């Protein structure tokens, strides 16, 4: 397998030269500072993981649905055994998906959740009733579908097409796991794009769009309109569509698709909205006007106004699913669901003295949300940023979004061959913020150590370290800190 197929910043965790994923970081459902290991996956899980990673990687998806459709057809169409809420967008998909699943589960329904990437174990991508799928069920379901995958691969190669990719095979596995569980409803996050993404074989009842911006331009298009057009391909006939507030060109594409499919469209700002946000210990209190009711002073254990907006979208999605947008949710049940939400790697504190916060922002839109949220969630007189980015990302836009928030940039590079060289990235950072605010340290471990020292030396007592730029790098830093804590 070539280096180009080994991982993707949005859709995959890091893995070694043999194609086996490297576990990183603490689990999402533990205290971020006193975290315990997720638990090492056994040899059988590793076997499945290696088989998946031997396929074409997620950053090079095939623009097709026929392959996945054929595989699930041979399996007896497991994806038709349960209703689906389908999510796409550029930023906020995973957090919104997790909130949606948690709210639905609080209503007493057995849920399936498919998201990417993972930070610790590949089993995190397939969640059953709020927990990563058990190792034995993961392996047994894989072994059950292997003959079908092989049959599909043979049919594809006989026609001169590529065999099932990593994400196509993972999608088939997730859909089969949900049917076998069984689940009452599945919340499924698109891998990349929408129209031709392998998850689009599902017949969803509700389609959800988080903010759409430019990312993965090589695969999705060079304009927001092109990207939105591709993403709008998940909209199904006569369904319920829920969207975050969008720029006009993205909204126009969603409106067009909804009209063509005779679907309803609820957009944040007109169909529902965030009424109020108040910072609170461990998160924030939010008031949301949904599509069917108003919900006051809900506790959301996530930081950032952008997460409040994600929560509003999730609430509207659940309203649209449970009552077609006509019945308000029970306030107590909704409160329970939101309070149980986690979103690892998103404004997550992982250490103290100095405080270290990691965030998965990797493009200008995500970095802007981070810049707005950080001072509210973690007020600091001096922020030292450990930043690294992949070569195919908008490095300059990323830095511009953070330059007024970060005092000193410690420029490094994420693990893997697709990382932007630290010296090359540093030239971009220096061009934007000046030489006196930049330190270059290609080694991630050394960069983190340097950042800690700079925070300790800063005159501000509340100086902190922020790590951002790549989900792979965030996972690696979480792993470094966790290993350090384990050794104490």
């Amino acid at each position: 397998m070539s280096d180009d197929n080994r991982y993707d910043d949005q859709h995959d965790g890091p893995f070694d030269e043999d194609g086996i994923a490297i576990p990183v970081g603490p689990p999402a459902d533990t205290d971020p500072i006193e975290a315990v290991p997720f638990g090492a996956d056994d040899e059988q899980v590793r076997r499945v993981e290696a088989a998946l990673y031997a396929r074409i990687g997620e950053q090079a998806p095939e623009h097709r649905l026929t392959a996945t459709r054929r595989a699930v057809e041979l399996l007896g169409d497991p994806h038709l055994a349960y209703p689906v809420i389908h999510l796409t967008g550029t930023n906020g998909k995973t957090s919104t998906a997790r909130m949606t699943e948690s709210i639905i589960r609080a209503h007493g329904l057995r849920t399936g959740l498919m998201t990417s990437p993972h930070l610790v174990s590949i089993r995190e991508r397939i969640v059953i009733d709020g927990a990563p799928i058990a190792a034995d069920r993961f392996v047994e379901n894989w072994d059950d579908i292997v003959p079908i995958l092989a049959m599909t691969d043979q049919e594809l190669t006989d026609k001169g097409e590529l065999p099932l990719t990593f994400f196509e095979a993972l999608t088939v596995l997730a859909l089969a796991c949900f049917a076998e569980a069984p689940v009452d409803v599945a919340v499924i996050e698109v891998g990349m794009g929408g129209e031709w993404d392998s998850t689009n074989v599902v017949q969803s009842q509700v389609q959800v769009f988080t903010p759409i911006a430019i990312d993965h331009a090589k695969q999705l298009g060079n304009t927001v309109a092109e990207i939105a057009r591709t993403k709008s391909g998940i909209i199904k006939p006569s369904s319920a569509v829920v969207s975050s507030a969008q720029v006009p060109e993205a909204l126009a594409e969603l409106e067009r698709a909804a009209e063509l499919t005779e679907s309803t469209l609820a957009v944040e700002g007109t169909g529902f909205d965030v009424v109020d946000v108040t910072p609170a210990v461990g998160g924030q209190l939010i008031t949301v006007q949904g599509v069917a009711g108003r919900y006051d002073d809900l506790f959301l254990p996530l930081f950032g106004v952008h997460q409040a907006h994600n929560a509003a979208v999730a609430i509207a999605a659940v309203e649209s699913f449970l009552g077609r947008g006509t019945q308000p949710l029970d306030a107590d049940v909704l409160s329970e669901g939101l309070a149980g939400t986690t979103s690892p790697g998103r404004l997550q504190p992982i250490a103290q003295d100095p405080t270290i916060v990691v965030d998965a922002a990797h493009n200008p839109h995500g970095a802007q949300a981070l810049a707005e949220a950080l001072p509210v969630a973690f007020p600091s007189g001096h922020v030292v940023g450990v930043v690294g980015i992949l070569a195919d990302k908008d490095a300059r836009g990323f830095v511009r979004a953070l330059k007024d928030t970060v005092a000193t940039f410690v420029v490094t590079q994420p693990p893997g061959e697709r990382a932007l060289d630290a010296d090359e990235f540093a030239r971009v950072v220096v061009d934007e913020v000046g030489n006196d605010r930049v330190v270059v340290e290609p080694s991630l471990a050394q960069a983190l150590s340097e950042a800690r020292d700079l925070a300790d030396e800063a005159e501000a007592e509340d100086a902190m370290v922020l790590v951002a730029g790549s989900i792979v790098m965030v996972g690696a830093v979480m792993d470094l800190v966790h290993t350090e804590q384990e050794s104490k």
Side-chain angles (χ1 to χ4, degrees), residues 175-247:
L175 298 177
C177 289
F178 295 155
E180 190 271 342
V183 302
D184 297 317
V185 56
V187 178
I188 295 177
E189 176 189 335
V190 161
M192 186 187 295
E195 179 182 8
W196 39 258
D197 185 80
S198 60
T199 63
N200 203 28
V201 297
V202 301
Q203 295 299 309
S204 55
Q205 286 66 45
V206 178
Q207 299 88 46
V208 180
F209 295 83
T210 61
I212 297 171
I214 293 178
D215 201 11
H216 293 288
K218 182 178 178 181
Q219 293 287 347
L220 304 180
N222 294 310
T223 68
V224 170
E226 286 180 285
I227 295 171
R229 193 173 307 128
T230 297
K231 293 180 184 295
S232 71
I234 71 169
I235 297 177
K236 302 298 186 293
S238 301
S239 57
V241 182
V242 174
S243 176
S244 299
Q246 303 285 357
V247 296

Side-chain angles (χ1 to χ4, degrees), residues 62 64 66-67 153 155-164:
E62 288 294 296
R64 65 186 184 187
T66 53
D153 286 341
E155 290 183 2
L156 290 167
T157 54
D158 286 346
K159 293 188 295 183
E161 297 183 35
L162 291 172
L164 292 165

Side-chain angles (χ1 to χ4, degrees), residues 271-448:
F272 62 94
D273 211 350
V274 175
V275 176
D276 186 59
V277 179
T278 304
V281 176
Q284 53 194 313
L285 291 176
I286 65 173
T287 295
V288 172
Q289 175 60 58
V291 296
R294 177 181 166 118
Y295 312 98
D296 295 307
D297 297 328
L298 299 167
F299 177 68
L300 178 65
L302 302 175
F303 298 102
V305 173
H306 62 291
Q307 294 289 18
H309 290 284
N310 289 339
V313 173
I315 291 168
V318 176
E319 288 177 314
S320 298
F321 177 77
L322 293 179
R324 196 66 178 182
T326 63
Q327 299 294 321
L329 302 177
D330 181 279
D332 291 336
V333 175
L334 172 58
S335 180
E336 176 188 344
L338 272 187
T341 300
T342 61
S343 195
R346 278 78 177 174
L347 269 179
Q348 181 181 359
I350 61 170
Q352 294 174 324
D353 299 324
T355 297
I356 301 177
V357 173
V358 297
D359 191 85
H362 55 270
N363 56 35
H365 187 276
Q368 184 60 46
L370 170 59
E372 294 171 1
L374 187 70
V376 178
F378 301 96
S380 172
H382 190 93
V383 177
V384 180
V386 177
V387 294
I389 201 166
L390 296 191
D392 60 352
K393 301 299 179 182
D394 182 357
R396 191 170 299 276
F398 175 83
V399 175
R400 284 177 178 171
L402 290 177
K403 68 179 183 180
D404 293 331
T405 301
V406 174
T408 304
F409 288 83
V410 179
V411 180
T412 187
Q413 58 195 59
E417 299 297 327
R418 291 178 58 233
L420 180 62
D421 177 77
D423 289 327
E424 185 177 347
F425 188 23
R427 285 193 286 272
V428 174
V429 181
V430 168
D431 191 42
E432 291 294 327
V433 307
N435 189 66
D436 59 335
R437 292 173 57 189
V438 179
V439 176
V440 185
E441 179 48 72
S443 164
L444 182 57
Q446 290 300 317
L448 183 62

Side-chain angles (χ1 to χ4, degrees), residues 86-163:
H86 203 188
L87 297 94
T88 189
T90 302
N91 291 296
K93 295 189 301 295
T94 300
S95 294
T96 305
R98 287 188 172 125
M99 292 182 208
T100 302
E101 182 275 336
S102 187
I103 296 169
I104 290 176
R105 182 159 38 88
H107 280 80
L109 296 174
R110 184 172 173 80
T111 56
L113 173 66
M114 180 183 180
T115 61
S116 55
H118 63 270
L119 288 175
V120 181
S121 165
I122 195 170
R123 294 186 288 113
E124 294 172 55
R125 294 173 179 248
I126 303 173
V127 173
I128 306 293
D129 219 20
I133 187 169
D136 58 344
R137 302 312 304 152
F138 180 77
V139 173
E140 288 171 15
N141 278 289
W142 172 259
D143 288 341
D144 285 344
I145 72 169
V146 162
I148 298 300
L149 298 181
M151 189 181 306
T152 307
D153 286 341
Q154 187 62 58
E155 290 183 2
L156 290 167
T157 54
D158 286 346
K159 293 188 295 183
E161 297 183 35
L162 291 172

